[in-house]
Amino acid sequence: MQLTFMPRELLEYSLFPQFYDHSCPKAKEIVKSIVAQAVAKETRMAASLVRLHFHDCFVKGCDASVLLDNSSSIVSEKGSNPNRNSLRGFEVVDQIKTALEAACPGTVSCADILALAARDSTVLVGGPSWDVPLGRRDSLGASIQGSNNDIPAPNNTLPTIITKFKRQGLDVVDVVALSGGHTIGMSRCTSFRQRLYNQTGNGMADSTLDVSFVSQLRQGCPRSGGDNNLFPLDFVTSTKFDNFYYKNILAGKGLLSSDEVLLTKSAKTAALVKAYAADVNLFFQHFAQSMVKMGNISPLTGSQGEIRKNCRRLNNNH
Ligand code: HEM
């Protein structure tokens, strides 16, 4: 085929790991070293950076829309229900962007920073590694509606969660493998309180929860107040990327309802929970594959979007 006669807008660009090898050969190293510093300072930052990439990709694709602050033309996704008082890591992304702009101005996108930081974070806390396809560009807008509607909520039913993943081109294996991101990091009391006091409207705790785990959780997550009190998503090894997340679910000690339903609401997801609990290598392999798949959701490429100079603002919006 003679590509010379192909109109530019019909050419398909895809992401590839060597994208910056000539334009910014140190890009990957720079990201890695700043992520390593940030995680050394606070281990939880690894979890926060993994989640940031997820919340970016599920809204208009992996285009760094999640990083834009409010401005005259932008209603920031940072104010959405899943993100408000919850999403973090923005200062680390700023630090990475500043270092990359010093090394190779106008070259490395904020969306690619998020994808690399998620991989580096995973590796730093003991998880699998993968090659990160690169070449994403940054959005010219944000979508708070998308953020509210497209990111699964912890009290969504399993069919709703599966539907929200399907909309992104992700399947049931991706749902279960990527939920394993909850092997690190923290949740606020408000994200799971309903399970402790009134799961089905009958004033009782979620019957799938281990009873001693319920009383333990109630101590830090009272019926009212303490909304922002923090609890590990994996109460056994919350700073280590391993498969305890799945083992906990099998023991009735998964923290979020969305974690627990993977075991009790579908035979297919239950089989995967059991497989990952029994075989950490299988989990790691699937997690890495699914992260690449998630990172490929609707990227802007070629001449679409822009390479932001500051991840919080559009270039023309000084
Ligand atoms: C399956 C649907 C999912 C639901 C319903 C869900 C929900 C949540 C909730 C409610 C929190 C706690 C937020 C808070 O209370 O402040 C959380 C934290 C987290 N989520 Fe998810 N999540 C899902 C999928 C994912 C995926 C796909 C990933 C990444 C691959 C991920 C990674 C994380 C991480 C690492 C944290 C901890 C963040 C931190 O400590 O800063 N989650 N998630």
Side-chain angles (χ1 to χ4, degrees), residues 44 48 51 55 81-88 188 191:
R44 184 185 172 199
S48 304
R51 186 172 186 230
H55 284 209
N81 296 324
N83 293 345
R84 194 171 358 102
N85 299 323
S86 179
L87 205 62
R88 52 205 297 285
R188 292 164 305 150
S191 300

Side-chain angles (χ1 to χ4, degrees), residues 59-74:
V59 182
K60 296 183 344 100
C62 311
D63 62 356
S65 59
V66 72
L67 300 178
L68 291 171
D69 283 343
N70 280 318
S71 70
S72 54
S73 64
I74 300 290

